[in-house]
């Protein structure tokens, strides 16, 4: 190409993203991003750029780029911000399938050598990384997880939007507990006590009786003193609630819902799943029907496992499952397992008793495979005015704060059901992570409020 034409081609190059380089093969594009890594070998420089959509390796030979561009790139520091022009070349060996022949480079901010980006390509401890979470999220693995999280949230809303559910947003500041008083975060509300919501459920029940099929989707809070790999103090919950739905209907909904979300991720985040090295053969089989077990059957299985020495602790009938129990149970199936009809005593005040045997609640927990445990908790709701009032008293809940909720049983009460799904638990499972702290941009845990 004559020099003039080449220059003109560079000036008219379109701005592109790394994820869409395939649409520009053989042509020059402009990328805006950061230098992730640089390998130098004499006259050849191999920068790796990132732009939030992915990473791409560039190639710059001393003879193929203007001298000032070669100089600017040589020794350039990690995370310096750049605008780079280059020609897209298909390369089978490259992670995204393409490489970039660097033609031009503009450094927006050069990270000084004296104060380098703290997260290098070598291994760092978890504490070190968590303290620098605002920078850690730039690394390929962490940004892939956040992109998968976004897809999970998108699909989680989309399923309901295309199936006739109306999104209704419950308040975050609430006068009373939904999931028991022991894990409430108190707030001073102009001198009166208020709490950060543990679940939007009670409000979703009200909007379901107004609109039929609804869902809420927002942050929820639990002042849990647990340091497990499954607990955050602030997490996102999506909660459908449906008038005239029973427990069987709820389980059908749950299995279709989870399958839809997993397959959306498989379809739309294949590159990110590859980046994090996820074994797709564990996600492909996620499809209805999911196995359904009564609590009593699950307990039998746990007892057998204990006898065989697969579980350390014996399981005491009547308890809620502990983490090791859930882990063991959920490892027995290649898809999520739905455990239903727990003893009413271990479950929440709002759960409808089973008319066939009122010692059991019409509830379900969905346990994700590979040992991830509970991702969904839900139930049919008490619909009788008398029983609800009685339960509120038994649980020593402040009746005044629940008057509005009791009203729902005074005026046109109907059977209804709903569940809550914790987004971070689902992200941890889908991404096969050790801990929920990597599933949200800025995790809040017992020990951490910074950054
Ligand atoms: O089982 P939970 O406590 O159920 C409820 O809150 C119901 N009111 C929901 C409803 O029926 N609308 O919580 C629901 C889900 C759990 O299955 C889990 O996925 C997630 O929320 N979850 C947590 N996730 C992260 N950290 C925590 N501390 C969590 N607690 C619950
Ligand atoms: Mg639960």
């Amino acid at each position: 190409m004559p020099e003039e034409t080449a220059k003109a081609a560079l000036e008219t190059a379109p701005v592109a993203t790394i994820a869409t380089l395939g649409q520009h093969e053989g042509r020059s594009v402009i990328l805006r991003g950061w230098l992730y890594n640089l390998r130098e070998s004499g006259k050849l420089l191999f920068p790796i750029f990132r732009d939030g959509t992915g990473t791409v390796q560039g190639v710059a030979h001393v003879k193929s780029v203007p001298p000032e561009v070669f100089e600017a790139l040589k020794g350039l520091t990690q995370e310096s911000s750049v605008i780079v022009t280059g020609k897209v070349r298909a390369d089978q060996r490259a992670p995204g399938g393409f490489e970039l022949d660097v033609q031009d480079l503009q450094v927006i901010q050069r990270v000084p050598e004296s104060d380098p980006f703290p997260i290098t390509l070598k291994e760092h401890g978890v504490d070190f990384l968590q303290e620098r979470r605002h920078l850690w999220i730039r690394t390929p693995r962490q940004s892939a997880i956040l992109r998968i999280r976004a897809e999970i949230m998108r699909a989680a809303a989309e399923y309901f939007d295309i199936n006739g559910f109306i999104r209704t947003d419950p308040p975050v500041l609430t006068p009373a507990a939904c999931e028991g008083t022991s894990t409430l975060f108190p707030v001073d509300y102009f001198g009166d006590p208020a709490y950060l919501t543990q679940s939007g459920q009670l409000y979703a029940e009200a909007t379901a009786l107004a609109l039929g099929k609804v869902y809420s989707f927002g942050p929820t809070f639990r002042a849990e003193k647990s340091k497990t790999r499954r607990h955050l103090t602030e997490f996102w919950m999506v909660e459908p609630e449906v008038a005239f739905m029973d427990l069987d209907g709820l389980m059908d909904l749950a299995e279709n819902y989870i399958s839809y979300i997993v397959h959306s991720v498989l379809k739309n985040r294949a590159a990110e799943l590859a980046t994090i090295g996820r074994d797709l053969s564990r996600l492909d089989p996620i499809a209805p029907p999911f196995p359904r077990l009564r609590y009593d059957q699950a307990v039998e299985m746990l007892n057998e496992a204990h006898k065989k020495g697969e579980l350390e602790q014996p399981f005491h009938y009547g308890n809620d499952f502990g983490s090791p129990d859930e882990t063991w149970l959920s490892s027995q199936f290649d898809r999520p397992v739905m455990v239903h009809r727990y003893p009413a005593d271990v479950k929440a005040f709002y759960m409808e008793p089973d008319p066939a045997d009122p010692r059991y609640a019409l509830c379900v927990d969905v346990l994700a495979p590979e040992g991830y445990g509970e991702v969904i908790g839900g139930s049919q709701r008490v619909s009788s005015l008398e029983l609800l009032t009685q339960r509120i008293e038994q649980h020593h809940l402040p009746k005044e704060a629940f008057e509005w909720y009791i009203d729902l049983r005074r005026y046109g009460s109907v059977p209804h059901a709903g569940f809550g799904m914790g987004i971070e638990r689902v992200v941890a499972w889908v991404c096969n992570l050790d801990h929920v702290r990597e599933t949200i941009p800025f995790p809040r845990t017992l020990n951490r409020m910074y950054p």
Side-chain angles (χ1 to χ4, degrees):
M1 215 189 281
E3 201 172 310
E4 288 306 299
T5 342
K7 223 172 155 194
L10 279 195
E11 275 162 14
T12 57
V15 174
T17 60
I18 292 172
T20 57
L21 282 182
Q23 299 166 12
H24 303 277
E25 196 191 331
R27 290 195 301 269
S28 292
V29 294
I30 298 170
L31 294 178
R32 301 185 289 202
W34 297 264
L35 183 76
Y36 171 62
N37 190 19
L38 177 66
R39 212 155 44 80
E40 310 193 6
S41 110
K43 294 173 176 165
L44 268 175
L45 303 177
F46 299 103
I48 296 178
F49 300 107
R50 66 167 193 91
D51 73 347
T53 74
T55 58
V56 64
Q57 171 158 295
V59 182
H61 191 277
V62 69
K63 287 205 178 125
S64 63
V65 295
E68 66 278 11
V69 169
F70 194 85
E71 277 315 304
L73 192 53
K74 203 166 177 309
L76 191 60
T77 40
Q78 191 191 346
E79 285 304 311
S80 290
S81 43
V82 296
I83 297 179
V84 55
T85 309
K87 198 167 174 188
V88 181
R89 179 166 41 77
D91 186 322
Q92 294 278 306
R93 294 157 306 170
F98 297 94
E99 278 197 348
L100 197 72
D101 288 324
V102 175
Q103 295 166 300
D104 196 9
L105 177 90
Q106 191 190 339
V107 177
I108 307 298
Q109 189 243 337
R110 187 190 168 95
V111 174
E113 261 107 23
S114 56
D115 187 10
F117 190 68
I119 302 174
T120 59
L121 304 191
K122 68 167 210 245
E123 293 261 318
H124 295 284
V126 168
D127 277 344
F128 179 93
L129 292 169
Q130 281 190 281
E131 191 69 13
R132 292 159 186 82
R133 182 65 178 162
H134 53 296
L135 304 176
W136 187 22
I137 51 179
R138 298 184 184 193
T139 60
R141 183 178 165 80
Q142 294 303 315
S143 56
I145 293 168
L146 293 184
R147 290 167 64 82
I148 292 170
R149 172 192 172 90
E151 175 61 17
I152 287 171
M153 295 186 85
R154 192 197 64 74
E158 181 181 74
Y159 179 91
F160 292 136
D161 292 337
I162 63 184
N163 284 291
F165 290 69
I166 303 298
R167 178 166 177 161
T168 61
D169 305 304
V172 167
L173 291 167
T174 58
C178 174
E179 291 300 316
T181 48
S182 65
T183 64
L184 287 169
F185 274 116
V187 182
D188 175 3
Y189 197 72
F190 306 115
D192 283 330
Y195 308 95
L196 297 179
T197 186
Q198 296 166 313
S199 157
Q201 178 197 320
L202 306 187
Y203 294 95
E205 287 184 53
T207 56
L209 299 194
L211 299 158
K213 295 193 332 185
V214 302
Y215 71 102
S216 72
F217 201 162
T220 48
F221 305 85
R222 304 270 168 104
E224 273 168 320
K225 296 252 159 65
S226 9
K227 279 196 243 171
T228 81
R229 59 198 186 91
R230 296 174 185 170
H231 288 90
L232 293 168
T233 51
E234 176 178 331
F235 61 98
W236 282 67
M237 215 198 296
V238 56
E239 299 180 85
E241 192 71 33
V242 185
F244 297 101
M245 184 171 267
D246 63 9
L247 180 62
D248 285 338
L250 191 69
M251 290 198 276
D252 295 346
L253 177 65
E255 65 191 10
N256 284 310
Y257 187 55
I258 289 185
S259 305
Y260 181 84
I261 292 169
V262 168
H263 286 276
S264 294
V265 174
L266 283 168
K267 180 162 159 248
N268 300 323
R269 287 290 180 262
E272 288 78 4
L273 289 168
T275 298
I276 65 174
R278 181 57 162 131
D279 176 1
L280 301 184
S281 73
R282 303 309 297 266
L283 296 177
D284 285 328
I286 308 303
F290 293 173
R292 298 180 186 197
L293 290 178
R294 290 186 65 107
Y295 170 88
D296 285 10
Q297 294 171 288
V299 171
E300 260 172 48
M301 290 175 65
L302 290 172
N303 287 339
E304 283 299 312
H306 175 60
K307 267 190 220 151
K308 285 196 233 152
E310 289 173 26
L311 263 177
E312 221 172 281
Q313 300 292 327
F315 184 77
H316 297 293
Y317 186 90
N319 285 353
D320 210 342
F321 297 124
S323 268
D325 309 317
E326 276 188 5
T327 303
W328 184 87
L329 268 176
S330 66
S331 310
Q332 306 308 305
F333 304 92
D334 70 342
R335 57 194 79 191
V337 54
M338 304 203 276
V339 182
H340 57 92
R341 292 180 170 80
Y342 285 61
D345 292 345
V346 293
K347 287 292 182 181
F349 76 95
Y350 53 71
M351 291 185 179
E352 185 82 306
D354 187 353
D357 185 345
R359 288 174 303 169
Y360 296 95
L362 292 177
C363 65
V364 60
D365 278 1
V366 183
L367 313 182
E370 297 173 80
Y372 278 92
E374 181 191 337
V375 289
I376 280 183
S379 76
Q380 222 176 292
R381 320 304 191 186
V382 166
S383 61
S384 126
L385 176 62
E386 292 68 33
L387 181 60
L388 184 65
T389 320
Q390 197 187 316
R391 287 275 182 87
I392 286 175
E393 278 163 16
Q394 280 167 357
H395 284 79
H396 306 293
L397 296 168
K399 188 144 178 269
E400 323 73 66
F402 283 92
E403 275 306 331
W404 68 269
Y405 183 65
I406 298 170
D407 266 353
L408 306 178
R409 279 72 182 171
R410 288 194 180 102
Y411 308 115
S413 188
V414 297
H416 60 286
F419 64 68
M421 185 180 86
I423 292 294
E424 291 73 19
R425 299 265 182 98
V426 175
V427 176
W429 162 46
V430 168
C431 295
N432 194 216
L433 306 176
D434 292 339
H435 200 293
V436 286
R437 68 181 158 234
E438 289 182 34
T439 63
I440 185 167
F442 296 98
R444 293 290 171 255
T445 56
L446 186 54
N447 305 325
R448 182 165 288 282
M449 269 290 284
Y450 179 90

